[in-house]
Amino acid sequence: SKLWRGVFSMCAKKVPASPPMPTMLSAHELSPSWGLAAVVDCETTGFDYEKDELIEIAVVLFAFDRETHEVKGLVDEYVGQREPGRSIPRDATAVHGLTKRMLKGKDLDYVRLREIARRAEFYVAHNADFDERFCGCYFPPRPWYCSMRHVVWTTRTEKWQKLEKLLRRYGITEKQTHRAIDDAKGLLTLLSLRNKAGETFLHEMITRAERQKEALERLRREAAATRVHEETERKRPRAGCLTLTCPILTLVYLLSRC
């Protein structure tokens, strides 16, 4: 009946409309005043940095406004795969769907990879510590920003900050895809959205990261100043020692004149 249909529509869960993904910009559309940065995502054989290996990497170069950090569009992208020197565990394949047979004989285009990364002013990743450890050796040194640690996505537990959950929450994708290029583009779309304050999540991430960096630097400077002060105080002779030493020196001097 119409009544029940109305009740159902009121109780049904609202699914957010899919936000548009940033589009590729042509050379004449790029403004010299814009900045360039790269979203990085990778798939690996596991989580152990010493034993596991990179098997897929995606780098999405994008343009952004330097003041507002509004995402202007895509500039370039690269996705590549490589055959690892070890087996791929089943639990890892269950996540990204990659097998050693699929990767047989494949390798990355290292020149192309560095060409794109070289144009970026900084790198962005979700859980950047993970991606930096596995991908950092292929890139020129640049700052890394973490969209998982430097954006307040939710006050819930950490599992709600996982990228796949955030992409579904903001209506970017309903699929359970976990491939490098899909995650990289999905993350860029997510960062292009705006928070409750009207700022892009990219702006929130960069601002919070810079504030944290400044706070750490301030703490380091204060700690260094405290150490210098303590060392100076330790080397300074005590007043009591000077009071005792001076009469003794005077007595020695007078005796030597006799």
Side-chain angles (χ1 to χ4, degrees), residues 148-165:
M148 187 174 72
R149 291 190 296 111
H150 295 134
V151 177
V152 182
W153 299 110
T154 177
T155 56
R156 299 182 186 180
T157 57
E158 185 176 331
K159 70 176 184 178
W160 291 95
Q161 299 183 34
K162 290 184 177 181
L163 182 60
E164 57 266 29
K165 291 186 178 295

Side-chain angles (χ1 to χ4, degrees), residues 198-241:
E199 302 169 337
T200 64
F201 286 120
L202 178 67
H203 178 82
E204 180 181 342
M205 178 191 69
I206 294 175
T207 303
R208 288 176 62 87
E210 291 300 323
R211 287 175 182 171
Q212 186 181 67
K213 182 180 178 181
E214 291 174 1
L216 289 174
E217 288 296 327
R218 185 169 60 254
L219 288 174
R220 291 192 186 100
R221 289 194 299 268
E222 292 174 356
T226 300
R227 287 195 299 269
V228 171
H229 177 73
E230 290 176 349
E231 186 67 18
T232 303
E233 290 297 317
R234 188 180 64 82
K235 292 181 179 180
R236 181 180 298 174
R238 296 181 180 178
C241 295

Side-chain angles (χ1 to χ4, degrees), residues 48 123 131 142 183 190 212 247 251 258:
D48 193 323
Y123 310 126
D131 293 271
R142 298 285 191 277
D183 287 351
L190 183 62
Q212 186 181 67
L251 179 60
C258 297

